[in-house]
Amino acid sequence: PVYMSEVVPTRLRGLLGTFTQTMLATGIFLVYAIGMLTRTSAGSPDPLATASTFCNWRLLAFICLIPPGLLFCLMFFAVESPRWLATRGRTDEARAVLLRIRSGPDYMSTEMMALGRGVNSDTISEAVNIINRIKILVSCKKQIVIAIGLNAMTQLTGVNALVFYQTTIFLLAGLEYADALALTVQLSTVLSNLAASFLIDRVRRRLLIITSST
């Protein structure tokens, strides 16, 4: 998310910055779907085992190696963050990167000016000096508490446990088609994340946090 926010244009920063969570939800949805399509009896001697009792986890694991493998290879062709370059005093390189990834020199000049306003000699020294960075963190106690609190509350809701064990939960609840229900839940997660990605720059952030917690 940090790299995305520093590389994409300002007008798309909210949309593409939240796409990490959207793609995470999409990945979980696809894993559920592939798992349903790769059911197997696994040669089990259990008389109750059927062709849909187990998931072919080896095949699923190999398939899941493809996206990170592509990411690893393609990142060698990715540009460096212009903001990171600017905070190191490498403004010429930052300008070259912006010229490469922006649609026109006028827009690039505007963004370079905005980047220059946020980066000065003090910012450069703070970015390089780890002691100064720690001092900045210590001075932002309120922001740190809010950030950690939001993330902690998100995890303490138990959402990850529900994602991992929702099929079992549906089965224990006596519901039929537990796999299909779990897949439906994941699809709704993808759609809600996608909607939030498009609303992030149109609706107040605080309002989105409040509505997502209800």
Side-chain angles (χ1 to χ4, degrees), residues 17-200:
T18 57
F19 253 47
T20 300
Q21 183 62 34
T22 304
M23 291 297 101
L24 177 62
T26 303
I28 296 174
F29 169 76
L30 291 176
V31 167
Y32 266 90
I34 296 172
M36 289 180 63
L37 295 174
T38 57
R39 289 291 190 177
T40 176
S41 64
S44 174
D46 191 332
L48 298 178
T50 66
S52 61
T53 300
F54 303 103
C55 170
N56 191 337
W57 63 268
R58 288 185 178 86
L59 176 60
L60 185 60
F62 282 126
I63 293 174
C64 290
L65 285 175
I66 297 174
L70 289 174
L71 177 63
F72 176 79
C73 295
L74 293 175
M75 282 306 295
F76 285 102
F77 301 96
V79 297
E80 185 54 82
S81 162
R83 177 169 178 78
W84 185 89
L85 292 171
T87 56
R88 267 63 184 178
R90 297 157 63 176
T91 53
D92 290 338
E93 294 179 55
R95 186 178 291 105
V97 169
L98 285 176
L99 187 61
R100 178 181 173 185
I101 62 178
R102 294 296 182 261
S103 57
D106 294 336
Y107 186 84
M108 186 274 294
S109 300
T110 302
E111 191 162 345
M112 194 65 197
M113 290 175 59
L115 188 62
R117 286 194 297 268
V119 177
N120 51 40
S121 58
D122 293 334
T123 308
I124 294 172
S125 63
E126 289 168 355
V128 176
N129 193 325
I130 188 65
I131 302 299
N132 287 336
R133 297 180 71 177
I134 294 175
K135 289 180 180 179
I136 293 173
L137 285 176
V138 173
S139 66
C140 300
K141 298 182 181 67
K142 185 176 181 179
Q143 293 89 330
I144 292 175
V145 170
I146 292 173
I148 294 177
L150 284 174
N151 283 281
M153 291 301 176
T154 301
Q155 297 303 314
L156 291 174
T157 58
V159 61
N160 288 331
L162 290 175
V163 170
F164 296 148
Y165 298 106
Q166 58 185 325
T167 303
T168 303
I169 293 172
F170 287 139
L171 288 173
L172 292 175
L175 300 175
E176 296 184 8
Y177 310 110
D179 287 339
L181 290 172
L183 193 64
T184 303
V185 171
Q186 287 308 126
L187 179 60
S188 66
T189 303
V190 173
L191 295 177
S192 60
N193 277 279
L194 192 61
S197 296
F198 284 97
L199 290 174
I200 192 71

